[in-house]
Coordinates of all heavy atoms in Angstrom, one line a residue:
M1 N -49.1 -0.2 -24.9 CA -47.8 0.3 -25.4 C -47.0 0.7 -24.2 O -47.4 1.6 -23.4 CB -48.0 1.4 -26.4 CG -46.7 1.7 -27.1 SD -47.0 3.0 -28.3 CE -47.6 2.0 -29.7
T2 N -46.0 0.1 -24.0 CA -45.2 0.6 -22.8 C -44.0 1.4 -23.3 O -43.3 1.0 -24.2 CB -44.6 -0.6 -22.1 OG1 -43.8 -1.4 -22.9 CG2 -45.7 -1.4 -21.4
S3 N -44.0 2.5 -22.8 CA -42.9 3.4 -23.1 C -42.3 3.9 -21.8 O -43.0 4.4 -21.0 CB -43.3 4.5 -24.0 OG -44.1 5.4 -23.3
Y4 N -41.1 3.9 -21.7 CA -40.5 4.5 -20.5 C -39.2 5.2 -21.0 O -38.5 4.8 -21.8 CB -40.2 3.4 -19.5 CG -39.3 2.3 -20.0 CD1 -37.9 2.4 -19.9 CD2 -39.9 1.1 -20.4 CE1 -37.1 1.4 -20.4 CE2 -39.1 0.1 -20.9 CZ -37.7 0.2 -20.8 OH -36.9 -0.8 -21.2
S5 N -39.1 6.3 -20.4 CA -38.0 7.1 -20.7 C -37.0 6.9 -19.6 O -37.3 7.0 -18.4 CB -38.3 8.6 -20.9 OG -38.9 9.0 -19.7
S6 N -35.8 6.7 -20.0 CA -34.8 6.6 -19.0 C -34.2 7.9 -18.6 O -33.5 8.6 -19.4 CB -33.7 5.6 -19.4 OG -32.8 6.3 -20.2
T7 N -34.7 8.3 -17.5 CA -34.1 9.6 -17.0 C -32.9 9.3 -16.1 O -32.3 10.2 -15.6 CB -35.2 10.4 -16.1 OG1 -35.6 9.5 -15.1 CG2 -36.3 10.8 -17.0
G8 N -32.7 8.1 -15.9 CA -31.7 7.7 -14.9 C -30.3 7.9 -15.5 O -29.8 7.1 -16.3
S9 N -29.7 8.9 -15.0 CA -28.3 9.0 -15.3 C -27.6 8.5 -14.1 O -27.6 9.2 -13.1 CB -27.9 10.4 -15.6 OG -28.1 11.2 -14.5
F10 N -27.2 7.3 -14.2 CA -26.5 6.7 -13.0 C -25.4 7.6 -12.6 O -24.5 7.9 -13.3 CB -26.0 5.3 -13.4 CG -27.1 4.3 -13.4 CD1 -27.6 3.9 -14.7 CD2 -27.6 3.8 -12.3 CE1 -28.7 3.0 -14.7 CE2 -28.7 2.8 -12.3 CZ -29.2 2.5 -13.6
N11 N -25.5 7.9 -11.3 CA -24.4 8.7 -10.8 C -23.2 7.9 -10.4 O -23.1 7.3 -9.4 CB -25.0 9.5 -9.6 CG -24.0 10.5 -9.1 OD1 -23.0 10.8 -9.8 ND2 -24.2 11.0 -7.9
R12 N -22.3 7.9 -11.4 CA -21.1 7.1 -11.1 C -20.3 7.7 -10.0 O -19.6 7.0 -9.3 CB -20.3 7.0 -12.4 CG -20.9 6.1 -13.4 CD -20.0 6.1 -14.6 NE -20.7 5.5 -15.8 CZ -20.2 5.6 -17.0 NH1 -19.1 6.2 -17.3 NH2 -20.9 5.1 -18.1
G13 N -20.3 9.0 -10.0 CA -19.5 9.7 -9.0 C -18.0 9.4 -9.4 O -17.6 8.3 -9.6
A14 N -17.3 10.4 -9.5 CA -15.9 10.2 -9.7 C -15.2 9.7 -8.5 O -15.0 10.4 -7.5 CB -15.2 11.6 -10.1
R15 N -15.0 8.4 -8.5 CA -14.4 7.8 -7.3 C -13.1 8.5 -7.1 O -12.2 8.6 -8.0 CB -14.2 6.3 -7.5 CG -15.4 5.6 -7.0 CD -15.0 4.1 -6.7 NE -14.5 3.5 -7.9 CZ -13.9 2.2 -7.9 NH1 -13.9 1.6 -6.8 NH2 -13.5 1.7 -9.0
Q16 N -12.9 8.8 -5.9 CA -11.6 9.4 -5.5 C -10.6 8.3 -5.5 O -10.1 7.9 -4.5 CB -11.7 10.1 -4.1 CG -12.2 11.5 -4.2 CD -11.1 12.5 -4.0 OE1 -10.2 12.2 -3.2 NE2 -11.1 13.6 -4.7
G17 N -10.3 7.8 -6.6 CA -9.5 6.6 -6.7 C -8.1 6.9 -6.9 O -7.7 8.1 -7.1
V18 N -7.3 5.8 -7.0 CA -5.9 6.0 -7.2 C -5.7 6.0 -8.7 O -6.2 5.1 -9.4 CB -5.2 4.8 -6.6 CG1 -3.7 4.9 -6.9 CG2 -5.4 4.8 -5.1
R19 N -5.0 6.9 -9.2 CA -4.7 7.0 -10.6 C -3.7 6.0 -11.0 O -2.8 5.6 -10.2 CB -4.2 8.4 -11.0 CG -5.4 9.4 -10.9 CD -4.8 10.8 -10.8 NE -3.8 11.1 -11.8 CZ -3.2 12.2 -12.0 NH1 -3.4 13.2 -11.1 NH2 -2.3 12.4 -12.9
R20 N -3.7 5.6 -12.2 CA -2.8 4.6 -12.7 C -1.6 5.3 -13.3 O -0.5 4.7 -13.4 CB -3.4 3.7 -13.8 CG -4.3 2.7 -13.2 CD -5.0 1.9 -14.3 NE -5.6 0.7 -13.7 CZ -5.1 -0.5 -13.6 NH1 -3.9 -0.7 -14.0 NH2 -5.7 -1.5 -13.0
T21 N -1.8 6.5 -13.7 CA -0.7 7.2 -14.3 C -0.5 8.6 -13.6 O -1.5 9.1 -13.1 CB -0.9 7.5 -15.8 OG1 -2.1 8.2 -16.0 CG2 -0.9 6.2 -16.6
C22 N 0.7 9.0 -13.6 CA 0.9 10.3 -12.9 C 0.8 11.4 -14.0 O 0.4 11.2 -15.1 CB 2.3 10.3 -12.3 SG 3.6 10.3 -13.5
D23 N 1.2 12.6 -13.6 CA 1.0 13.7 -14.5 C 2.0 13.6 -15.7 O 1.8 14.3 -16.7 CB 1.2 15.0 -13.8 CG 0.1 15.3 -12.8 OD1 -1.0 14.8 -13.0 OD2 0.3 16.0 -11.8
C24 N 3.0 12.8 -15.6 CA 3.9 12.6 -16.7 C 3.3 11.7 -17.8 O 3.7 11.6 -18.9 CB 5.2 11.9 -16.2 SG 6.0 12.6 -14.9
G25 N 2.2 11.0 -17.4 CA 1.6 10.0 -18.2 C 2.2 8.6 -18.1 O 1.9 7.7 -18.8
D26 N 3.1 8.5 -17.1 CA 3.7 7.2 -16.8 C 3.0 6.4 -15.8 O 2.2 7.0 -15.0 CB 5.2 7.4 -16.3 CG 6.1 8.0 -17.3 OD1 5.8 7.8 -18.5 OD2 7.0 8.7 -17.0
L27 N 3.1 5.1 -15.8 CA 2.5 4.3 -14.8 C 3.1 4.6 -13.4 O 4.3 4.7 -13.3 CB 2.7 2.8 -15.1 CG 1.9 2.2 -16.2 CD1 2.3 0.8 -16.4 CD2 0.4 2.2 -15.8
V28 N 2.2 4.8 -12.5 CA 2.7 5.2 -11.2 C 3.4 4.0 -10.5 O 3.1 2.8 -10.8 CB 1.6 5.7 -10.2 CG1 0.9 6.9 -10.8 CG2 0.5 4.6 -10.0
G29 N 4.3 4.3 -9.6 CA 4.9 3.2 -8.8 C 4.2 3.1 -7.5 O 3.6 4.0 -7.0
M30 N 4.3 1.9 -6.9 CA 3.7 1.7 -5.6 C 4.8 1.4 -4.6 O 5.6 0.5 -4.8 CB 2.7 0.7 -5.6 CG 1.9 0.6 -4.3 SD 0.4 -0.5 -4.5 CE 1.1 -2.1 -4.2
W31 N 4.8 2.0 -3.4 CA 5.7 1.7 -2.4 C 5.0 1.6 -1.0 O 3.8 2.0 -0.9 CB 6.7 2.9 -2.3 CG 7.6 3.0 -3.5 CD1 8.7 2.4 -3.8 CD2 7.3 3.9 -4.6 NE1 9.2 2.8 -5.0 CE2 8.4 3.7 -5.5 CE3 6.3 4.8 -4.9 CZ2 8.5 4.4 -6.7 CZ3 6.4 5.5 -6.1 CH2 7.5 5.3 -7.0
T32 N 5.7 1.1 -0.1 CA 5.2 1.1 1.3 C 6.1 1.9 2.2 O 7.3 1.8 2.1 CB 5.2 -0.4 1.8 OG1 4.5 -1.2 0.9 CG2 4.6 -0.4 3.2
A33 N 5.4 2.8 2.9 CA 6.2 3.7 3.7 C 6.5 3.0 5.1 O 5.6 2.3 5.6 CB 5.4 5.0 4.0
W34 N 7.7 3.1 5.5 CA 8.0 2.6 6.9 C 8.6 3.7 7.7 O 9.7 3.7 8.2 CB 9.0 1.4 6.8 CG 8.3 0.2 6.3 CD1 8.4 -0.4 5.1 CD2 7.3 -0.5 7.0 NE1 7.6 -1.5 5.1 CE2 6.9 -1.6 6.2 CE3 6.7 -0.4 8.3 CZ2 5.9 -2.5 6.6 CZ3 5.7 -1.3 8.7 CH2 5.3 -2.3 7.8
T35 N 7.8 4.8 7.8 CA 8.2 5.9 8.7 C 7.5 5.8 10.0 O 6.5 5.1 10.1 CB 7.9 7.2 8.0 OG1 6.5 7.3 7.8 CG2 8.6 7.3 6.6
A36 N 8.0 6.5 11.0 CA 7.3 6.4 12.3 C 5.9 7.0 12.2 O 5.0 6.6 12.9 CB 8.1 7.2 13.3
R37 N 5.7 7.9 11.3 CA 4.4 8.5 11.2 C 3.4 7.6 10.4 O 2.2 7.6 10.7 CB 4.5 9.9 10.5 CG 4.9 11.0 11.4 CD 4.8 12.3 10.7 NE 3.4 12.7 10.4 CZ 3.1 13.8 9.8 NH1 4.0 14.7 9.4 NH2 1.8 14.1 9.6
N38 N 3.9 7.0 9.4 CA 3.0 6.2 8.5 C 3.6 4.8 8.2 O 3.8 4.5 7.1 CB 2.8 6.9 7.2 CG 2.1 8.3 7.4 OD1 1.0 8.4 7.9 ND2 2.8 9.3 7.0
P39 N 3.7 4.0 9.2 CA 4.3 2.7 9.0 C 3.4 1.8 8.3 O 2.2 1.7 8.6 CB 4.6 2.2 10.4 CG 3.6 2.9 11.3 CD 3.4 4.2 10.6
G40 N 3.9 1.1 7.2 CA 3.1 0.1 6.5 C 2.1 0.6 5.6 O 1.3 -0.1 5.1
L41 N 2.1 1.9 5.4 CA 1.1 2.5 4.5 C 1.6 2.5 3.1 O 2.7 2.9 2.8 CB 0.7 3.9 4.9 CG -0.1 4.0 6.2 CD1 -0.7 5.4 6.3 CD2 -1.1 3.0 6.4
R42 N 0.7 2.0 2.2 CA 1.1 2.0 0.8 C 0.7 3.3 0.1 O -0.3 3.9 0.5 CB 0.4 0.8 0.1 CG 0.9 -0.5 0.5 CD 0.0 -1.6 -0.1 NE -1.3 -1.4 0.4 CZ -2.4 -2.1 -0.1 NH1 -2.2 -2.9 -1.1 NH2 -3.6 -1.8 0.3
F43 N 1.5 3.7 -0.8 CA 1.2 4.9 -1.6 C 1.7 4.7 -3.0 O 2.6 3.9 -3.3 CB 1.9 6.1 -0.9 CG 3.4 6.1 -0.8 CD1 4.1 6.7 -1.8 CD2 4.0 5.4 0.2 CE1 5.5 6.6 -1.8 CE2 5.4 5.4 0.3 CZ 6.2 6.0 -0.7
V44 N 1.2 5.5 -3.9 CA 1.6 5.5 -5.2 C 2.2 6.9 -5.5 O 1.9 7.9 -4.8 CB 0.5 5.2 -6.3 CG1 0.0 3.8 -6.1 CG2 -0.6 6.2 -6.1
G45 N 3.1 6.9 -6.5 CA 3.7 8.2 -6.8 C 4.3 8.2 -8.2 O 4.4 7.1 -8.8
C46 N 4.8 9.3 -8.5 CA 5.5 9.5 -9.8 C 6.7 8.6 -9.9 O 7.5 8.6 -8.9 CB 5.9 10.9 -10.0 SG 6.8 11.2 -11.6
P47 N 6.8 7.7 -10.9 CA 8.0 6.8 -11.0 C 9.3 7.6 -11.3 O 10.3 7.0 -11.2 CB 7.6 5.9 -12.1 CG 6.7 6.7 -13.0 CD 5.9 7.6 -12.0
N48 N 9.1 8.8 -11.6 CA 10.3 9.6 -12.0 C 10.8 10.4 -10.8 O 11.5 11.4 -11.0 CB 10.0 10.5 -13.2 CG 9.5 9.7 -14.3 OD1 10.1 8.7 -14.7 ND2 8.4 10.2 -14.9
Y49 N 10.4 10.0 -9.6 CA 10.7 10.9 -8.5 C 12.2 11.1 -8.2 O 12.6 12.1 -7.6 CB 10.0 10.3 -7.2 CG 10.7 9.1 -6.7 CD1 11.6 9.2 -5.7 CD2 10.3 7.8 -7.2 CE1 12.2 8.0 -5.2 CE2 10.9 6.7 -6.7 CZ 11.9 6.8 -5.7 OH 12.5 5.6 -5.3
K50 N 13.0 10.2 -8.7 CA 14.4 10.3 -8.5 C 15.0 11.4 -9.3 O 16.1 11.9 -9.0 CB 15.1 9.0 -8.9 CG 14.9 7.9 -7.9 CD 15.5 6.6 -8.4 CE 15.1 5.4 -7.5 NZ 15.4 4.1 -8.1
D51 N 14.3 11.8 -10.4 CA 14.9 12.8 -11.3 C 14.1 14.1 -11.1 O 12.9 14.2 -11.4 CB 14.8 12.3 -12.7 CG 15.5 13.2 -13.7 OD1 15.7 14.4 -13.3 OD2 15.9 12.7 -14.7
E52 N 14.7 15.1 -10.5 CA 14.0 16.3 -10.2 C 13.4 16.9 -11.5 O 12.4 17.6 -11.4 CB 15.0 17.3 -9.6 CG 15.3 17.1 -8.2 CD 16.2 18.1 -7.6 OE1 16.2 19.2 -8.2 OE2 16.8 17.9 -6.5
N53 N 14.0 16.7 -12.6 CA 13.5 17.4 -13.8 C 12.3 16.7 -14.3 O 11.5 17.3 -15.1 CB 14.6 17.4 -14.9 CG 15.8 18.2 -14.5 OD1 15.7 19.3 -13.9 ND2 17.0 17.7 -14.7
Q54 N 12.1 15.4 -14.0 CA 11.0 14.7 -14.5 C 9.9 14.5 -13.5 O 8.7 14.2 -13.9 CB 11.5 13.3 -15.1 CG 12.4 13.4 -16.3 CD 12.6 12.1 -16.9 OE1 11.6 11.3 -17.2 NE2 13.8 11.7 -17.1
D55 N 10.2 14.6 -12.3 CA 9.3 14.3 -11.2 C 8.1 15.3 -11.3 O 8.3 16.5 -11.2 CB 10.0 14.4 -9.9 CG 9.0 14.1 -8.7 OD1 7.9 13.5 -9.0 OD2 9.4 14.3 -7.6
C56 N 6.9 14.8 -11.5 CA 5.8 15.7 -11.5 C 5.2 15.9 -10.1 O 4.3 16.7 -9.9 CB 4.7 15.1 -12.5 SG 3.9 13.6 -11.9
G57 N 5.7 15.1 -9.2 CA 5.2 15.3 -7.8 C 3.9 14.6 -7.5 O 3.4 14.9 -6.4
Y58 N 3.5 13.8 -8.3 CA 2.2 13.1 -8.0 C 2.4 12.1 -6.9 O 3.4 11.4 -6.8 CB 1.7 12.3 -9.2 CG 0.4 11.5 -8.9 CD1 -0.7 12.2 -8.5 CD2 0.5 10.1 -9.0 CE1 -1.8 11.4 -8.2 CE2 -0.7 9.4 -8.6 CZ -1.8 10.1 -8.2 OH -2.9 9.3 -7.9
F59 N 1.5 12.1 -5.9 CA 1.7 11.3 -4.7 C 0.3 11.1 -4.1 O -0.5 12.0 -4.1 CB 2.5 12.1 -3.7 CG 2.7 11.4 -2.4 CD1 3.7 10.4 -2.2 CD2 1.8 11.7 -1.4 CE1 3.8 9.8 -1.0 CE2 1.9 11.0 -0.2 CZ 2.9 10.1 0.1
H60 N 0.0 9.8 -3.8 CA -1.3 9.5 -3.3 C -1.3 8.3 -2.3 O -0.8 7.3 -2.7 CB -2.3 9.3 -4.4 CG -3.7 9.1 -4.0 ND1 -4.6 10.2 -3.9 CD2 -4.4 8.0 -3.7 CE1 -5.8 9.8 -3.5 NE2 -5.7 8.4 -3.3
W61 N -1.8 8.5 -1.2 CA -1.9 7.3 -0.2 C -2.9 6.4 -0.7 O -4.0 6.7 -1.1 CB -2.3 7.8 1.2 CG -1.2 8.6 1.9 CD1 -1.2 9.9 2.1 CD2 0.1 8.1 2.4 NE1 0.0 10.3 2.7 CE2 0.8 9.1 2.9 CE3 0.6 6.8 2.5 CZ2 2.0 9.0 3.6 CZ3 1.9 6.6 3.1 CH2 2.5 7.7 3.6
I62 N -2.6 5.1 -0.6 CA -3.6 4.0 -0.9 C -4.3 3.7 0.3 O -5.6 3.5 0.4 CB -2.9 2.8 -1.5 CG1 -2.3 3.1 -2.9 CG2 -3.9 1.7 -1.7 CD1 -1.5 2.0 -3.5
D63 N -3.6 3.4 1.4 CA -4.2 3.0 2.6 C -4.6 4.2 3.5 O -3.9 5.3 3.3 CB -3.2 2.2 3.4 CG -2.9 0.9 2.8 OD1 -3.8 0.3 2.2 OD2 -1.7 0.5 2.7
P64 N -5.6 4.1 4.2 CA -6.0 5.2 5.1 C -4.9 5.5 6.2 O -4.3 4.6 6.6 CB -7.3 4.7 5.7 CG -7.2 3.2 5.6 CD -6.4 2.9 4.4
Q65 N -4.8 6.7 6.5 CA -3.9 7.1 7.5 C -4.3 6.5 8.8 O -5.5 6.3 9.2 CB -3.9 8.6 7.7 CG -3.6 9.4 6.4 CD -2.1 9.4 6.1 OE1 -1.3 9.9 6.8 NE2 -1.8 8.9 4.9
L66 N -3.3 6.1 9.6 CA -3.5 5.5 10.9 C -3.8 6.6 11.9 O -3.0 7.5 12.0 CB -2.3 4.6 11.3 CG -2.0 3.5 10.4 CD1 -0.7 2.8 10.8 CD2 -3.1 2.4 10.4
S67 N -4.8 6.5 12.6 CA -5.1 7.5 13.6 C -4.8 7.0 15.0 O -4.9 7.7 16.0 CB -6.6 7.9 13.5 OG -7.4 6.7 13.7
N68 N -4.3 5.8 15.0 CA -4.1 5.2 16.3 C -2.6 5.0 16.6 O -1.9 4.3 15.9 CB -4.8 3.8 16.4 CG -4.8 3.2 17.7 OD1 -3.8 3.3 18.4 ND2 -5.8 2.5 18.1
N69 N -2.1 5.7 17.6 CA -0.7 5.7 17.8 C -0.2 4.3 18.2 O 0.9 3.8 17.8 CB -0.3 6.7 19.0 CG 0.1 8.0 18.4 OD1 0.7 8.0 17.3 ND2 -0.1 9.0 19.1
W70 N -1.0 3.6 19.0 CA -0.6 2.3 19.4 C -0.5 1.4 18.2 O 0.5 0.6 18.1 CB -1.8 1.7 20.4 CG -1.4 0.3 20.8 CD1 -0.7 0.0 21.9 CD2 -1.9 -0.9 20.2 NE1 -0.6 -1.4 22.0 CE2 -1.3 -1.9 21.0 CE3 -2.6 -1.2 19.1 CZ2 -1.5 -3.3 20.7 CZ3 -2.8 -2.5 18.8 CH2 -2.3 -3.6 19.6
Y71 N -1.4 1.5 17.3 CA -1.4 0.6 16.1 C -0.1 0.9 15.3 O 0.6 0.0 14.8 CB -2.6 0.9 15.3 CG -2.8 -0.1 14.2 CD1 -2.8 -1.5 14.5 CD2 -3.1 0.3 12.9 CE1 -3.1 -2.4 13.4 CE2 -3.3 -0.6 11.9 CZ -3.3 -1.9 12.2 OH -3.5 -2.8 11.2
R72 N 0.2 2.2 15.2 CA 1.4 2.6 14.5 C 2.7 1.9 15.1 O 3.5 1.4 14.4 CB 1.6 4.1 14.6 CG 1.0 4.9 13.5 CD 1.3 6.3 13.6 NE 0.2 7.1 13.2 CZ 0.0 8.4 13.5 NH1 0.9 9.0 14.1 NH2 -1.1 9.0 13.0
E73 N 2.7 2.0 16.4 CA 3.9 1.5 17.1 C 4.0 0.0 16.9 O 5.1 -0.5 16.7 CB 3.9 1.9 18.6 CG 4.1 3.3 18.8 CD 3.8 3.7 20.3 OE1 3.6 2.8 21.1 OE2 3.7 4.9 20.5
Q74 N 2.9 -0.7 17.0 CA 2.9 -2.1 16.8 C 3.4 -2.5 15.4 O 4.2 -3.4 15.2 CB 1.5 -2.7 17.1 CG 1.0 -2.5 18.4 CD 1.9 -3.1 19.5 OE1 2.3 -4.3 19.4 NE2 2.3 -2.3 20.5
L75 N 2.9 -1.8 14.4 CA 3.3 -2.1 13.1 C 4.7 -1.9 12.8 O 5.4 -2.7 12.2 CB 2.5 -1.2 12.1 CG 1.2 -1.8 11.5 CD1 0.6 -0.8 10.6 CD2 1.5 -3.0 10.7
L76 N 5.2 -0.8 13.3 CA 6.6 -0.5 13.2 C 7.5 -1.5 13.9 O 8.5 -1.9 13.4 CB 6.9 1.0 13.7 CG 8.1 1.6 13.1 CD1 8.0 1.7 11.6 CD2 8.2 3.0 13.7
A77 N 7.1 -1.8 15.1 CA 7.9 -2.7 15.9 C 7.9 -4.1 15.2 O 9.0 -4.7 15.1 CB 7.2 -2.9 17.3
L78 N 6.8 -4.5 14.7 CA 6.7 -5.8 14.0 C 7.7 -5.8 12.7 O 8.4 -6.7 12.5 CB 5.3 -6.0 13.5 CG 5.0 -7.4 13.0 CD1 5.1 -8.4 14.2 CD2 3.6 -7.5 12.4
H79 N 7.6 -4.7 12.0 CA 8.4 -4.5 10.8 C 9.9 -4.6 11.2 O 10.7 -5.3 10.6 CB 8.1 -3.2 10.2 CG 9.0 -2.9 9.0 ND1 8.9 -3.6 7.8 CD2 10.0 -2.0 8.7 CE1 9.7 -3.2 6.9 NE2 10.4 -2.2 7.5
N80 N 10.3 -3.9 12.2 CA 11.7 -3.9 12.7 C 12.1 -5.3 13.1 O 13.2 -5.7 12.9 CB 11.9 -2.9 13.8 CG 11.8 -1.4 13.2 OD1 11.9 -1.2 12.1 ND2 11.4 -0.5 14.1
L81 N 11.2 -5.9 13.8 CA 11.5 -7.3 14.3 C 11.8 -8.2 13.1 O 12.7 -9.0 13.2 CB 10.3 -7.7 15.1 CG 10.5 -9.0 16.0 CD1 11.4 -8.6 17.2 CD2 9.2 -9.5 16.5
R82 N 10.9 -8.1 12.1 CA 11.1 -9.0 11.0 C 12.4 -8.7 10.3 O 13.0 -9.6 9.7 CB 9.9 -8.9 10.1 CG 8.7 -9.5 10.6 CD 7.5 -9.4 9.7 NE 7.7 -9.9 8.4 CZ 6.9 -9.9 7.4 NH1 5.7 -9.3 7.5 NH2 7.1 -10.4 6.2
N83 N 12.7 -7.5 10.2 CA 14.0 -7.2 9.5 C 15.2 -7.6 10.3 O 16.2 -8.0 9.7 CB 14.0 -5.6 9.2 CG 13.3 -5.3 8.0 OD1 12.7 -6.1 7.3 ND2 13.4 -4.0 7.6
G84 N 15.1 -7.5 11.6 CA 16.3 -7.8 12.4 C 16.5 -9.3 12.7 O 17.6 -9.7 12.9
Q85 N 15.4 -10.0 12.6 CA 15.5 -11.4 13.0 C 15.0 -12.3 11.9 O 13.9 -12.9 12.0 CB 14.8 -11.7 14.3 CG 15.3 -10.8 15.4 CD 14.5 -11.1 16.7 OE1 13.8 -12.1 16.8 NE2 14.6 -10.2 17.6
Q86 N 15.7 -12.3 10.8 CA 15.1 -13.0 9.6 C 15.3 -14.5 9.7 O 14.6 -15.3 9.1 CB 15.8 -12.5 8.3 CG 15.4 -11.1 8.0 CD 16.1 -10.7 6.7 OE1 17.1 -11.2 6.3 NE2 15.6 -9.6 6.1
N87 N 16.2 -15.0 10.5 CA 16.5 -16.4 10.6 C 15.9 -17.0 11.8 O 16.4 -18.0 12.3 CB 18.0 -16.7 10.6 CG 18.6 -16.2 9.2 OD1 18.0 -16.3 8.2 ND2 19.8 -15.6 9.3
I88 N 14.8 -16.4 12.3 CA 14.3 -16.9 13.6 C 13.4 -18.1 13.3 O 13.0 -18.9 14.2 CB 13.5 -15.8 14.3 CG1 13.4 -16.1 15.8 CG2 12.2 -15.6 13.7 CD1 12.9 -15.0 16.6
V89 N 13.0 -18.2 12.1 CA 12.1 -19.3 11.7 C 12.8 -20.7 11.8 O 13.8 -20.9 11.1 CB 11.5 -19.1 10.3 CG1 10.5 -20.3 10.0 CG2 10.8 -17.8 10.2
Q90 N 12.3 -21.5 12.6 CA 13.0 -22.8 12.8 C 12.2 -23.9 12.1 O 11.0 -23.8 12.0 CB 13.2 -23.1 14.2 CG 14.1 -22.1 14.9 CD 14.2 -22.5 16.4 OE1 13.6 -23.4 16.9 NE2 15.1 -21.7 17.1
E91 N 12.9 -24.9 11.7 CA 12.2 -26.1 11.2 C 11.4 -26.7 12.3 O 12.0 -27.1 13.3 CB 13.1 -27.0 10.5 CG 13.5 -26.6 9.2 CD 14.3 -27.7 8.5 OE1 13.8 -28.9 8.5 OE2 15.4 -27.4 7.9
V92 N 10.2 -26.9 12.1 CA 9.4 -27.5 13.1 C 9.2 -29.0 12.9 O 9.4 -29.8 13.8 CB 8.0 -26.9 13.2 CG1 7.1 -27.6 14.3 CG2 8.1 -25.4 13.5
G93 N 9.0 -29.4 11.7 CA 8.8 -30.8 11.4 C 10.0 -31.6 11.1 O 10.2 -32.1 10.1
R94 N 10.9 -31.7 12.1 CA 12.1 -32.4 11.9 C 11.9 -33.9 12.0 O 12.5 -34.7 11.3 CB 13.2 -32.0 12.8 CG 13.9 -30.8 12.3 CD 15.0 -30.3 13.3 NE 16.1 -31.3 13.3 CZ 17.1 -31.2 14.2 NH1 17.1 -30.2 15.1 NH2 18.1 -32.1 14.2
G95 N 11.1 -34.3 12.9 CA 11.0 -35.8 13.1 C 10.0 -36.4 12.2 O 8.8 -36.4 12.5
Q96 N 10.4 -36.8 11.1 CA 9.5 -37.4 10.1 C 9.4 -38.9 10.4 O 10.4 -39.6 10.7 CB 10.0 -37.2 8.7 CG 9.6 -35.9 8.2 CD 9.8 -35.8 6.7 OE1 10.2 -36.7 6.1 NE2 9.5 -34.6 6.1
H97 N 8.2 -39.4 10.3 CA 8.0 -40.8 10.4 C 8.2 -41.5 9.0 O 7.6 -41.0 8.1 CB 6.6 -41.1 10.9 CG 6.3 -40.6 12.3 ND1 6.8 -41.2 13.4 CD2 5.7 -39.4 12.7 CE1 6.4 -40.5 14.5 NE2 5.8 -39.4 14.0
N98 N 9.0 -42.5 9.0 CA 9.3 -43.1 7.7 C 8.3 -44.3 7.4 O 8.7 -45.4 7.3 CB 10.7 -43.6 7.7 CG 11.7 -42.5 7.6 OD1 11.4 -41.5 6.9 ND2 12.8 -42.6 8.2
G99 N 7.1 -43.9 7.3 CA 6.1 -45.0 6.9 C 6.2 -46.2 7.9 O 6.5 -46.1 9.0
I100 N 5.8 -47.3 7.4 CA 5.8 -48.5 8.2 C 7.0 -49.4 7.7 O 7.0 -49.7 6.5 CB 4.5 -49.3 8.1 CG1 3.4 -48.3 8.6 CG2 4.6 -50.6 8.9 CD1 2.0 -48.9 8.4
Ligands
LIG1 ZN1 5.2 11.9 -13.0

């Protein structure tokens, strides 16, 4: 007779995850920060942030903070470059061969 008792309470651990709803009970919004301190970092927050009366102040970074200044500068520079020179992409394959 095999009997085993399951003492295993799997430790799920409350993952320090990103919540789907803020304290208002609304779905959080996701944005990307393009500040000098946190370029390119995504975060979620209360979707009612525009309204002072409704904003619950929920805010959570999704991406880890950048600890590397060089990396920050590169990201920001890249972002500014892309914004400033949107039409820099040129057609490469202009010369098409028309079969035989
Ligand atoms: Zn809220």
Side-chain angles (χ1 to χ4, degrees):
M1 195 178 273
T2 58
S3 70
Y4 56 88
S5 59
S6 82
T7 54
S9 61
F10 285 98
N11 187 10
R12 289 181 194 166
R15 266 201 304 175
Q16 275 256 324
V18 177
R19 288 162 51 181
R20 286 177 167 264
T21 57
C22 66
D23 292 334
C24 308
D26 293 331
L27 283 175
V28 296
M30 187 169 86
W31 297 274
T32 304
W34 284 112
T35 61
R37 279 188 68 180
N38 299 298
L41 291 197
R42 290 170 303 168
F43 62 94
V44 294
C46 179
N48 304 314
Y49 72 95
K50 288 176 187 167
D51 190 334
E52 281 185 19
N53 296 320
Q54 292 190 53
D55 182 14
C56 66
Y58 176 65
F59 175 89
H60 187 88
W61 289 107
I62 294 175
D63 294 320
Q65 305 279 302
L66 299 171
S67 56
N68 188 323
N69 265 333
W70 180 86
Y71 192 52
R72 264 183 221 169
E73 286 168 16
Q74 296 303 309
L75 264 179
L76 202 59
L78 192 68
H79 177 68
N80 292 336
L81 195 70
R82 285 179 61 181
N83 273 6
Q85 305 179 11
Q86 288 180 344
N87 297 322
I88 202 168
V89 180
Q90 296 178 356
E91 280 189 46
V92 178
R94 275 179 69 186
Q96 280 193 358
H97 296 282
N98 288 324
I100 301 171

